[in-house]
Amino acid sequence: RPELRVSSATLAALDATRQAARNARLPRVDGFADGGRTGPETDGLVTTWAIGVGVTIPLLDSSPWREEAAELRVAQERLRARSLDNRIRADVREALVLLETATARLTANRVQRQLAEQEISEARARFAAGAAGNLDIIQAQGSLTLEQSVVTLQAMAAARVRLARAVGGATALH
């Protein structure tokens, strides 16, 4: 998911800042070299060289506090990333449960439809044999409804969309 990628990038940047603050406390060695030709006339030039080394030892600086603040920001972002990961896992589990529930409901609706169709055929057979009236056929047809299947299919589609969003496959709906 995009927010997980952003959190990872933020954590990497904060970790680099922490490392930079840690390195600021270390002694530093700088060197330089320069060479050239000097002189008042072009045929009397003298070659000169300058070489130097400098050592910087930080004695009075605020880098320990900067390092500690960077450590705290890294710890805070790790906690935020862990919380985000847990929330994503919970979203995925919830979407899977909704999808499983919708699938089970659809299966139950199909079985219920088959039973209703069987009831209609038995009511028609009784009517043809003269053992039942028109009312039995009408009541049997009343139990045969498509509305439950349509609602269940809608719930299943919504669960699939929710699962796709939870795993990061869908970021926007059109």
Side-chain angles (χ1 to χ4, degrees):
R1 286 174 52 164
E3 58 266 31
L4 196 55
R5 285 191 297 271
V6 167
S7 179
S8 295
T10 303
L11 186 59
L14 288 174
D15 199 32
T17 302
R18 179 182 54 93
Q19 190 63 34
R22 179 177 292 154
N23 291 342
R25 296 177 55 200
L26 298 175
R28 190 177 76 221
V29 177
D30 296 316
F32 66 91
D34 187 24
R37 301 186 74 157
T38 61
E41 299 177 13
T42 56
D43 52 337
L45 296 177
V46 177
T47 303
T48 60
W49 297 94
I51 298 174
V53 175
V55 177
T56 305
I57 300 172
L59 297 175
L60 299 172
D61 66 53
S62 62
S63 60
W65 294 281
R66 284 194 302 257
E67 183 180 349
E68 186 176 336
E71 295 263 355
L72 291 174
R73 285 191 298 272
V74 167
Q76 182 181 17
E77 186 59 33
R78 282 193 180 131
L79 184 62
R80 187 178 294 126
R82 204 172 313 126
S83 173
L84 178 63
D85 186 53
N86 289 339
R87 192 173 72 235
I88 289 171
R89 289 177 188 273
D91 287 348
V92 169
R93 281 193 301 269
E94 183 180 352
L96 285 172
V97 166
L98 288 173
L99 187 59
E100 288 173 5
T101 302
T103 303
R105 193 177 298 147
L106 185 63
T107 302
N109 285 348
R110 287 182 180 151
V111 169
Q112 183 180 7
R113 182 170 175 80
Q114 289 172 350
L115 291 174
E117 288 172 353
Q118 182 180 355
E119 184 181 352
I120 289 172
S121 67
E122 289 174 0
R124 286 184 179 151
R126 284 194 308 271
F127 180 75
N134 234 1
L135 185 60
D136 289 336
I137 294 175
I138 292 171
Q139 286 177 340
Q141 286 175 341
S143 64
L144 181 66
T145 179
L146 291 175
E147 183 178 330
Q148 289 178 342
S149 295
V150 170
V151 170
T152 303
L153 286 173
Q154 288 173 343
M156 189 175 228
R160 284 184 179 144
V161 168
R162 189 166 185 168
L163 179 62
R165 187 195 175 288
V167 298
T171 55
L173 294 175
H174 299 281

